[in-house]
Amino acid sequence: MKRIGNIFDEVISLENLRLADEKARKGKLKSYGVRIHDKNREANLLALHESLKNGTFKTSKYHIFTIYEPKERLIYRLPYYPDRILHHAIMNVLEPIWVSVFNKNTYSCIKNRGIHKCAKDVKQALKQDPDGTRYCLKIDVRKFYPSINHEILKKVVRRKIKDGRLLALLDEIIDSVDGVPIGNYLSQYFANLFLAYFDHWLKEEKRVKYYWRYADDIVILAPNKEFLHNLLHEIRAYLRDNLKLAVKRNYQVFPVDSRGIDFLGYVFYHSHTLLRKAIKQKLCRRVAKLNKRKIAPTKEYYKQQICSWWGWCKYCDSINLVNKLSKQFPYEIKFNRSKRPL
């Protein structure tokens, strides 16, 4: 595999830092970090360039907090300047290099390969080959982000990058906290890269035909469950021996038609796709809460409050739910359903 070198100067160039600043600020123009940075924007970028050039850059202190939806997680936040600008500058150059390593069954945080692309591919496989997709193996990695081993990650990074100065910078960012912190812009790429060669092993050595990975959530389909149980044993050994990771004990091997595949916020069957129960319940509760307000919300506000959940509905077979909820709206609100079948 060809390794890439001599790209550090491109990463730290003022032109790339300015581009990174423009990208990092999208949707955040009113945030405190952007407003403070803009008071000395050009001077800040020049200072960042000089610290990178001199090798004196150090990752800033993290602000750590907890979120509880969709599940409890520790989130690590870095200041807008200099860290988030730097992370975008690095990915401006490295993103096409790293994406070239990912196979087509890798999703999450990759341009044009989000939830709906993955869902579409799953649905297509179920429809086109019902016999070859009778059984499902569904697994995820135990405490994936906190469990990522730094030394192994550095070796994986070096399989594609050989620029010494850039590697030293990436090592400093990797070692700034235990594991890989959820919340860093770079973390989503580190996580995908960490499992990239596992993806290739499954597809190219184990010849798994139907396989999808979204972050650390993995779905594999096959015509019989014996194959999937044997494969699970090999997956556990690979992750343990090569990446020091463990599969969660809540793995599942089951016939698709009896339960459906709960994945990506949907439940997939051979004949149709439904919305995950928890998402449907949250949508119904939000509608009920809006309807109970003493002062009726405006039509625009009402639509804004439910549009994110409605986005889930429009990509699955949810016409009955849509019709039922529409009758409860105090306004006539129409959402266009997707013309792209999943």
Side-chain angles (χ1 to χ4, degrees):
M1 178 182 293
K2 183 180 179 181
R3 298 170 68 217
I4 311 297
N6 300 319
I7 53 177
F8 182 73
D9 289 335
E10 182 182 355
V11 170
I12 71 167
S13 69
L14 281 170
E15 294 80 5
N16 188 46
L17 293 177
R18 292 188 185 105
L19 175 61
D21 188 13
E22 290 298 328
K23 288 185 176 182
R25 67 178 50 232
K26 286 183 179 179
K28 303 179 180 69
L29 294 179
K30 296 181 180 180
S31 68
Y32 177 78
V34 175
R35 287 188 284 112
I36 294 298
H37 167 61
D38 281 349
K39 292 180 180 180
N40 296 286
R41 186 176 181 182
E42 194 60 28
N44 284 342
L45 293 178
L46 182 60
L48 175 57
H49 169 76
E50 289 299 323
S51 68
L52 293 167
K53 183 179 178 181
N54 297 331
T56 58
F57 174 85
K58 297 295 181 184
T59 297
S60 303
K61 184 179 179 180
Y62 286 92
H63 169 56
I64 305 173
F65 59 97
T66 304
I67 62 170
Y68 298 93
E69 290 290 338
K71 62 182 179 180
E72 185 174 339
R73 288 176 176 171
L74 278 180
I75 303 298
Y76 294 73
R77 179 184 291 165
L78 286 169
Y80 178 81
Y81 171 83
D83 303 85
R84 284 156 70 181
I85 294 174
L86 173 60
H87 289 195
H88 277 268
I90 291 171
M91 291 315 304
N92 284 345
V93 178
L94 291 190
E95 183 175 11
I97 297 172
W98 282 348
V99 169
S100 69
V101 175
F102 306 148
N103 69 27
K104 67 177 184 178
N105 303 100
T106 304
Y107 304 84
S108 176
C109 307
I110 304 172
K111 188 176 180 179
N112 299 321
R113 280 197 257 172
I115 286 176
H116 295 305
K117 168 59 176 168
C118 186
K120 182 179 180 180
D121 291 347
V122 173
K123 183 61 178 176
Q124 187 175 28
L126 289 168
K127 183 178 180 180
Q128 291 182 349
D129 189 6
D131 291 334
T133 57
R134 289 177 60 200
Y135 289 89
C136 174
L137 167 62
K138 187 173 183 292
I139 62 174
D140 60 347
V141 177
R142 182 177 178 273
K143 296 183 179 179
F144 176 49
Y145 277 79
S147 298
I148 292 178
N149 180 279
H150 286 188
E151 295 309 310
I152 297 175
L153 176 58
K154 290 174 185 178
K155 289 178 182 178
V156 172
V157 169
R158 282 160 171 76
R159 294 184 69 167
K160 198 65 180 176
I161 306 297
K162 65 178 180 180
D163 187 307
R165 291 184 296 170
L166 179 56
L167 289 172
L169 176 61
L170 292 173
D171 288 352
E172 196 281 332
I173 295 171
I174 290 170
D175 289 333
S176 63
V177 69
D178 292 338
V180 167
I182 299 173
N184 268 6
Y185 181 59
L186 269 176
S187 294
Q188 55 200 18
Y189 293 95
F190 283 148
N192 257 343
L193 191 66
F194 197 70
L195 289 176
Y197 298 98
F198 165 71
D199 297 337
H200 286 285
W201 171 76
L202 274 176
K203 293 294 291 183
E204 295 156 20
E205 292 191 33
K206 305 313 298 179
R207 300 292 181 180
V208 174
K209 184 176 182 180
Y210 297 115
Y211 164 72
W212 302 273
R213 177 173 67 81
Y214 193 89
D216 64 316
D217 291 333
I218 296 169
V219 164
I220 301 172
L221 302 179
N224 63 79
K225 61 183 178 181
E226 290 76 20
F227 170 81
L228 293 176
H229 279 293
N230 292 333
L231 183 63
L232 173 61
H233 178 74
E234 295 185 81
I235 288 173
R236 280 174 161 165
Y238 182 99
L239 292 177
R240 180 189 66 239
D241 298 341
N242 294 280
L243 300 176
K244 295 186 178 179
L245 296 175
V247 174
K248 276 187 182 178
R249 293 183 179 180
N250 64 349
Y251 72 89
Q252 303 169 34
V253 177
F254 57 91
V256 172
D257 287 334
S258 68
R259 295 175 49 182
I261 307 165
D262 190 339
F263 184 48
L264 307 169
Y266 298 104
V267 181
F268 298 92
Y269 296 87
H270 284 103
S271 57
H272 59 286
T273 303
L274 300 179
L275 195 63
R276 178 181 287 164
K277 183 178 179 180
I279 295 175
K280 180 173 66 174
Q281 288 175 335
K282 287 180 181 179
L283 170 58
C284 293
R285 287 169 186 161
R286 175 55 62 90
V287 171
K289 189 174 181 179
L290 289 169
N291 290 343
K292 288 179 181 178
R293 289 192 175 183
K294 292 181 179 180
I295 301 176
T298 65
K299 180 177 179 178
E300 190 60 31
Y301 179 82
Y302 198 103
K303 190 171 182 177
Q304 288 176 352
Q305 290 295 300
I306 63 174
C307 66
S308 60
W309 283 288
W310 215 258
W312 292 97
C313 295
K314 65 188 288 188
Y315 287 97
C316 65
D317 300 303
S318 59
I319 190 65
N320 290 333
L321 174 65
V322 169
N323 290 339
K324 183 177 180 180
L325 289 178
S326 295
K327 294 176 182 178
Q328 301 177 28
F329 296 160
Y331 309 101
E332 184 180 356
I333 300 176
K334 293 183 179 180
F335 293 86
N336 294 326
R337 291 184 61 79
S338 173
K339 295 181 179 179
R340 298 177 297 168
L342 286 179

